[in-house]
Amino acid sequence: MKSVLITGFEPFDGERVNPSWEVVKQLNDLMLGGVKVVARQLPCAFGEALIALNAAIDEVQPVLVLAIGQAGGRAEISIERVAINIDDARIADNLGKQPIDQPIVENGPAAYFTRLPIKAMVQGIREAGIPASVSQTAGTYVCNHVMYGLLHRLHQANDEVKGGFIHIPYLPEQAVNHPGAPSMSAHSVVIALELAISIALQIDHDSHIAGGAIH
């Protein structure tokens, strides 16, 4: 049976929950078009997150890997276009590490583009009435670290496995502690991720529609 691996993170930066794991764990064992979804939690720690991700990939042998992370302050489902080869942490991770201007892979490419049909995914999620957009930056924290490490592995393996990263907003129960910050319900995010998985499995060539940014 084919499988999809979807990952979320443990809480970090003083939060009691991480919306990525709160949502992702609801998708564990879900069947979508004959494909089984397997959910795994990653530590919010440089290096350790990639060790856990690679172990999960070895275990599950997925045809698609979707890594999900929290982007507090964003109002939409943000499907990432690119990961860059740099760790530059504004805050320490959960193990107290705070790398600054360090490459993720020594002598690796400056960046990798996603292996997902990101514009088709955004379009499908929007058609379901859920705000979504293509994001041009995954940051320089553990989320970008995981996205770059994932795409580096897939590139090195030279196989047809699809993979990429999606950022999601705070949950409402988090946003009450961040006045003015947008949020999205877990129910809406679950629907968005189910659509993202289905579209990624079905579409090999992305839609030729605008998804760029002016600034």
Side-chain angles (χ1 to χ4, degrees):
M1 178 185 297
K2 292 183 179 179
S3 297
V4 170
L5 174 64
I6 187 166
T7 66
F9 286 102
E10 65 184 359
F12 71 101
D13 196 24
E15 296 290 336
R16 296 180 61 185
V17 298
N18 190 313
S20 65
W21 180 242
E22 294 305 305
V23 172
V24 162
K25 68 184 181 183
Q26 298 183 42
L27 300 176
N28 191 48
D29 289 334
L30 178 70
M31 296 296 298
L32 287 174
V35 179
K36 182 180 179 180
V37 179
V38 178
R40 292 289 184 270
Q41 187 183 73
L42 302 181
C44 188
F46 293 98
E48 298 301 316
L50 284 178
I51 291 172
L53 175 65
N54 285 322
I57 293 173
D58 291 339
E59 172 199 350
V60 176
Q61 295 293 305
V63 296
L64 167 67
V65 183
L66 278 183
I68 315 300
Q70 169 188 300
R74 294 193 190 182
E76 302 177 308
I77 302 293
S78 301
I79 305 181
E80 300 296 343
R81 187 194 295 262
V82 62
I84 60 174
N85 189 18
I86 200 75
D87 289 332
D88 192 1
R90 181 181 57 81
I91 59 173
D93 68 12
N94 283 356
L95 294 180
K97 293 182 290 186
Q98 191 174 0
I100 296 174
D101 297 338
Q102 293 183 11
I104 300 165
V105 176
E106 198 70 43
N107 300 317
Y112 284 112
F113 286 110
T114 185
R115 287 188 167 201
L116 301 175
I118 57 175
K119 294 182 178 180
M121 292 163 72
V122 165
Q123 186 176 39
I125 293 168
R126 285 177 175 173
E127 287 173 355
I130 300 169
S133 64
V134 174
S135 170
Q136 317 302 331
T137 176
T140 55
Y141 196 55
V142 183
C143 290
N144 176 76
H145 181 87
V146 163
M147 183 180 179
Y148 185 93
L150 167 62
L151 295 173
H152 181 72
R153 172 181 172 137
L154 298 182
H155 179 78
Q156 295 294 105
N158 195 30
D159 58 27
E160 299 303 315
V161 175
K162 297 178 181 178
F165 199 98
I166 299 176
H167 269 119
I168 63 174
Y170 284 137
L171 295 173
E173 55 263 41
Q174 292 177 283
V176 297
N177 298 315
H178 301 276
S183 65
M184 186 175 290
S185 72
H187 177 71
S188 292
V189 180
V190 166
I191 293 172
L193 294 184
E194 289 180 0
L195 286 167
I197 292 169
S198 296
I199 293 166
L201 288 171
Q202 295 171 21
I203 295 180
D204 293 322
H205 302 288
D206 203 4
S207 302
H208 187 66
I209 55 177
I214 296 174
H215 54 76

